[in-house]
Amino acid sequence: MLDGHGDDIYRYNDLVKMNFSSNIYQHADLTALKEFMKGHFDLIANYPEPQPRSLERLIALKEGISPEAVLVTNGATEAIYMIAAHFKNSASAVQSHHLL
């Protein structure tokens, strides 16, 4: 990845009230998630595997597809960078149709 994930709100502490550089809802009540996590810290004892192969296999099994058809990323930005890198020697065009 070239430079981060596209959201630099961490640079501004509490100065930003609405963040339009990300589609993450910032006012969600995370109380239940935090309580759940408190009770499961024993599961967070090691770094995860470097590549998410186990998760890809589980998703593939659940969906009835090949694990090679599943790609787990750290989010949309990483996926976009990976797609761009894969097609770096290709050409593409975007055509816009205006309906009146």
Side-chain angles (χ1 to χ4, degrees), residues 33-89:
L33 175 60
K34 290 176 182 178
E35 287 301 314
F36 176 83
M37 293 300 292
K38 284 180 190 177
H40 292 84
F41 273 116
D42 58 312
L43 300 175
I44 308 171
N46 303 303
Y47 279 108
E49 59 188 322
Q51 299 297 321
R53 302 297 179 239
S54 298
L55 178 58
E56 290 172 345
R57 285 192 299 274
L58 287 171
I59 292 170
L61 182 65
K62 182 179 183 321
E63 297 300 322
I65 59 176
S66 166
E68 289 77 29
V70 178
L71 177 64
V72 174
T73 68
N74 287 321
T77 301
E78 182 183 22
I80 291 166
Y81 276 100
M82 290 175 77
I83 292 167
H86 181 76
F87 292 102
K88 68 182 176 185
N89 294 320

